[in-house]
Amino acid sequence: MQNRVGSKGSTATAALLSLLIVIMVGLTVYFFTVKQFFAPPPITANGELIDRQYNLTLYMTGIVFILSQIGLAYAIFRFRDKGQRAQFTRGNNTLEMLWTSATIVVFLGVGILGRKAWAETRFTPASADAIKVEVTENQFVFNFRYPGPDGKFGRLDPKLVSASSGNPIGLDLNDPAAKDDIIVPTLTVPVNHQVELELRSQDVIHNFYVRELRLQQDAVPGIEIPIHFTATKIGQYEIVCTQLCGLGHYKMRSVLNVVSDSDYQDFLKQQAAAQ
Ligand SMILES: [Cu+2]
């Protein structure tokens, strides 16, 4: 058997591995700085808060990522096999305590700073004059229900659910409040008005996600989940289901139309006449 002590490892291999790590770090930083895969700008004040929080987290973890990877590349090259005898080390308690507590401080700090952006849509109730829309999801469609001119949602009966006969959410037309309810496959809301959605699901777990709202919430069978937002920019945005909910999941999407006040009134009138 050959004696390993005294024989040297390859400098080229260590240099190549270090270089590869540096190149990978460079590429990663490049893709983040050109923002090629970034989401479109937010259209809510809360979305801007979330972006600020996201960027803060990205910068902090980005700096740690760059430093630790460059450190790794350095260590690979600096401590390569030069034929020396390997040494046993028990580590450095002070250093380990230091970076463990630094991680805790950063982790908790970022969490505490971000609580407002998160709690605003989850724990703060919608204002009393928010426009209420009920969202019912099932494989693989969205249905949006407006209460109509009377401002009241009519009764629903699961036994009446029948998409093929034009009653996808099971509206009970014997209830007078149900007669003027508007049910449409896309969501139309007025700009600069708070909207409260009530998310429901008829079968499996689905999701309601609009990138520009920075809002993503599951729809879970058996519970009604309220979320709210105030869109500040007129436009058309994509609503997608982000839960893998079955074979047709890939095509489960809808449209969010943010329109002017007068266009919203026109939409309600047109729909009321069409129902
Ligand atoms: Cu779905």
PDB file of all heavy atoms in Angstrom, residues 66-79:
ATOM      1  N   ILE A  66     -23.293  35.328  -0.424  1.00  0.00           N
ATOM      2  CA  ILE A  66     -22.060  35.667  -1.146  1.00  0.00           C
ATOM      3  C   ILE A  66     -20.840  35.425  -0.258  1.00  0.00           C
ATOM      4  O   ILE A  66     -19.878  34.754  -0.661  1.00  0.00           O
ATOM      5  CB  ILE A  66     -22.100  37.137  -1.634  1.00  0.00           C
ATOM      6  CG1 ILE A  66     -23.202  37.295  -2.705  1.00  0.00           C
ATOM      7  CG2 ILE A  66     -20.751  37.560  -2.210  1.00  0.00           C
ATOM      8  CD1 ILE A  66     -23.544  38.739  -3.018  1.00  0.00           C
ATOM      9  N   LEU A  67     -20.894  35.939   0.989  1.00  0.00           N
ATOM     10  CA  LEU A  67     -19.748  35.795   1.887  1.00  0.00           C
ATOM     11  C   LEU A  67     -19.431  34.329   2.188  1.00  0.00           C
ATOM     12  O   LEU A  67     -18.270  33.920   2.145  1.00  0.00           O
ATOM     13  CB  LEU A  67     -20.007  36.548   3.201  1.00  0.00           C
ATOM     14  CG  LEU A  67     -20.005  38.081   3.100  1.00  0.00           C
ATOM     15  CD1 LEU A  67     -20.277  38.711   4.463  1.00  0.00           C
ATOM     16  CD2 LEU A  67     -18.667  38.585   2.541  1.00  0.00           C
ATOM     17  N   SER A  68     -20.478  33.533   2.452  1.00  0.00           N
ATOM     18  CA  SER A  68     -20.197  32.148   2.828  1.00  0.00           C
ATOM     19  C   SER A  68     -19.676  31.341   1.641  1.00  0.00           C
ATOM     20  O   SER A  68     -18.787  30.506   1.795  1.00  0.00           O
ATOM     21  CB  SER A  68     -21.438  31.490   3.433  1.00  0.00           C
ATOM     22  OG  SER A  68     -22.502  31.569   2.521  1.00  0.00           O
ATOM     23  N   GLN A  69     -20.205  31.613   0.422  1.00  0.00           N
ATOM     24  CA  GLN A  69     -19.730  30.866  -0.747  1.00  0.00           C
ATOM     25  C   GLN A  69     -18.303  31.253  -1.126  1.00  0.00           C
ATOM     26  O   GLN A  69     -17.502  30.410  -1.501  1.00  0.00           O
ATOM     27  CB  GLN A  69     -20.674  31.082  -1.941  1.00  0.00           C
ATOM     28  CG  GLN A  69     -22.062  30.506  -1.745  1.00  0.00           C
ATOM     29  CD  GLN A  69     -22.043  29.017  -1.441  1.00  0.00           C
ATOM     30  OE1 GLN A  69     -21.477  28.230  -2.172  1.00  0.00           O
ATOM     31  NE2 GLN A  69     -22.642  28.640  -0.321  1.00  0.00           N
ATOM     32  N   ILE A  70     -17.994  32.569  -1.031  1.00  0.00           N
ATOM     33  CA  ILE A  70     -16.626  33.012  -1.322  1.00  0.00           C
ATOM     34  C   ILE A  70     -15.683  32.418  -0.270  1.00  0.00           C
ATOM     35  O   ILE A  70     -14.571  31.978  -0.586  1.00  0.00           O
ATOM     36  CB  ILE A  70     -16.538  34.561  -1.326  1.00  0.00           C
ATOM     37  CG1 ILE A  70     -17.448  35.145  -2.428  1.00  0.00           C
ATOM     38  CG2 ILE A  70     -15.103  35.047  -1.509  1.00  0.00           C
ATOM     39  CD1 ILE A  70     -17.056  34.831  -3.849  1.00  0.00           C
ATOM     40  N   GLY A  71     -16.141  32.364   0.987  1.00  0.00           N
ATOM     41  CA  GLY A  71     -15.353  31.755   2.064  1.00  0.00           C
ATOM     42  C   GLY A  71     -15.081  30.281   1.770  1.00  0.00           C
ATOM     43  O   GLY A  71     -13.971  29.782   1.973  1.00  0.00           O
ATOM     44  N   LEU A  72     -16.123  29.605   1.248  1.00  0.00           N
ATOM     45  CA  LEU A  72     -15.981  28.187   0.903  1.00  0.00           C
ATOM     46  C   LEU A  72     -14.950  28.009  -0.217  1.00  0.00           C
ATOM     47  O   LEU A  72     -14.059  27.153  -0.142  1.00  0.00           O
ATOM     48  CB  LEU A  72     -17.345  27.631   0.467  1.00  0.00           C
ATOM     49  CG  LEU A  72     -17.386  26.172   0.020  1.00  0.00           C
ATOM     50  CD1 LEU A  72     -17.036  25.242   1.164  1.00  0.00           C
ATOM     51  CD2 LEU A  72     -18.771  25.824  -0.519  1.00  0.00           C
ATOM     52  N   ALA A  73     -15.047  28.861  -1.247  1.00  0.00           N
ATOM     53  CA  ALA A  73     -14.106  28.791  -2.370  1.00  0.00           C
ATOM     54  C   ALA A  73     -12.677  29.026  -1.870  1.00  0.00           C
ATOM     55  O   ALA A  73     -11.742  28.323  -2.274  1.00  0.00           O
ATOM     56  CB  ALA A  73     -14.478  29.828  -3.430  1.00  0.00           C
ATOM     57  N   TYR A  74     -12.525  30.000  -0.966  1.00  0.00           N
ATOM     58  CA  TYR A  74     -11.204  30.319  -0.415  1.00  0.00           C
ATOM     59  C   TYR A  74     -10.647  29.116   0.354  1.00  0.00           C
ATOM     60  O   TYR A  74      -9.492  28.716   0.156  1.00  0.00           O
ATOM     61  CB  TYR A  74     -11.310  31.543   0.499  1.00  0.00           C
ATOM     62  CG  TYR A  74     -10.082  31.792   1.334  1.00  0.00           C
ATOM     63  CD1 TYR A  74      -8.937  32.378   0.769  1.00  0.00           C
ATOM     64  CD2 TYR A  74     -10.040  31.436   2.679  1.00  0.00           C
ATOM     65  CE1 TYR A  74      -7.798  32.586   1.533  1.00  0.00           C
ATOM     66  CE2 TYR A  74      -8.912  31.640   3.448  1.00  0.00           C
ATOM     67  CZ  TYR A  74      -7.785  32.218   2.873  1.00  0.00           C
ATOM     68  OH  TYR A  74      -6.670  32.420   3.623  1.00  0.00           O
ATOM     69  N   ALA A  75     -11.519  28.518   1.227  1.00  0.00           N
ATOM     70  CA  ALA A  75     -11.061  27.412   2.068  1.00  0.00           C
ATOM     71  C   ALA A  75     -10.667  26.201   1.232  1.00  0.00           C
ATOM     72  O   ALA A  75      -9.689  25.515   1.537  1.00  0.00           O
ATOM     73  CB  ALA A  75     -12.151  27.038   3.071  1.00  0.00           C
ATOM     74  N   ILE A  76     -11.428  25.960   0.138  1.00  0.00           N
ATOM     75  CA  ILE A  76     -11.104  24.815  -0.733  1.00  0.00           C
ATOM     76  C   ILE A  76      -9.705  24.963  -1.316  1.00  0.00           C
ATOM     77  O   ILE A  76      -8.915  24.013  -1.370  1.00  0.00           O
ATOM     78  CB  ILE A  76     -12.161  24.682  -1.859  1.00  0.00           C
ATOM     79  CG1 ILE A  76     -13.463  24.125  -1.291  1.00  0.00           C
ATOM     80  CG2 ILE A  76     -11.663  23.776  -2.988  1.00  0.00           C
ATOM     81  CD1 ILE A  76     -14.622  24.155  -2.259  1.00  0.00           C
ATOM     82  N   PHE A  77      -9.373  26.193  -1.720  1.00  0.00           N
ATOM     83  CA  PHE A  77      -8.069  26.410  -2.337  1.00  0.00           C
ATOM     84  C   PHE A  77      -6.952  26.498  -1.280  1.00  0.00           C
ATOM     85  O   PHE A  77      -5.915  25.854  -1.404  1.00  0.00           O
ATOM     86  CB  PHE A  77      -8.087  27.684  -3.184  1.00  0.00           C
ATOM     87  CG  PHE A  77      -6.834  27.843  -3.989  1.00  0.00           C
ATOM     88  CD1 PHE A  77      -6.601  27.025  -5.101  1.00  0.00           C
ATOM     89  CD2 PHE A  77      -5.862  28.767  -3.625  1.00  0.00           C
ATOM     90  CE1 PHE A  77      -5.422  27.140  -5.831  1.00  0.00           C
ATOM     91  CE2 PHE A  77      -4.685  28.882  -4.358  1.00  0.00           C
ATOM     92  CZ  PHE A  77      -4.464  28.063  -5.461  1.00  0.00           C
ATOM     93  N   ARG A  78      -7.219  27.244  -0.222  1.00  0.00           N
ATOM     94  CA  ARG A  78      -6.204  27.511   0.805  1.00  0.00           C
ATOM     95  C   ARG A  78      -5.794  26.233   1.545  1.00  0.00           C
ATOM     96  O   ARG A  78      -4.632  26.037   1.851  1.00  0.00           O
ATOM     97  CB  ARG A  78      -6.773  28.556   1.776  1.00  0.00           C
ATOM     98  CG  ARG A  78      -5.993  28.798   3.055  1.00  0.00           C
ATOM     99  CD  ARG A  78      -4.792  29.700   2.817  1.00  0.00           C
ATOM    100  NE  ARG A  78      -4.169  30.078   4.076  1.00  0.00           N
ATOM    101  CZ  ARG A  78      -3.458  29.241   4.848  1.00  0.00           C
ATOM    102  NH1 ARG A  78      -3.298  27.997   4.474  1.00  0.00           N
ATOM    103  NH2 ARG A  78      -2.919  29.677   5.971  1.00  0.00           N
ATOM    104  N   PHE A  79      -6.781  25.375   1.824  1.00  0.00           N
ATOM    105  CA  PHE A  79      -6.483  24.174   2.614  1.00  0.00           C
ATOM    106  C   PHE A  79      -6.469  22.919   1.751  1.00  0.00           C
ATOM    107  O   PHE A  79      -6.840  21.831   2.195  1.00  0.00           O
ATOM    108  CB  PHE A  79      -7.491  24.040   3.768  1.00  0.00           C
ATOM    109  CG  PHE A  79      -7.484  25.247   4.679  1.00  0.00           C
ATOM    110  CD1 PHE A  79      -8.526  26.167   4.649  1.00  0.00           C
ATOM    111  CD2 PHE A  79      -6.406  25.481   5.524  1.00  0.00           C
ATOM    112  CE1 PHE A  79      -8.508  27.288   5.469  1.00  0.00           C
ATOM    113  CE2 PHE A  79      -6.381  26.597   6.350  1.00  0.00           C
ATOM    114  CZ  PHE A  79      -7.433  27.515   6.321  1.00  0.00           C
TER     115      PHE A  79
END
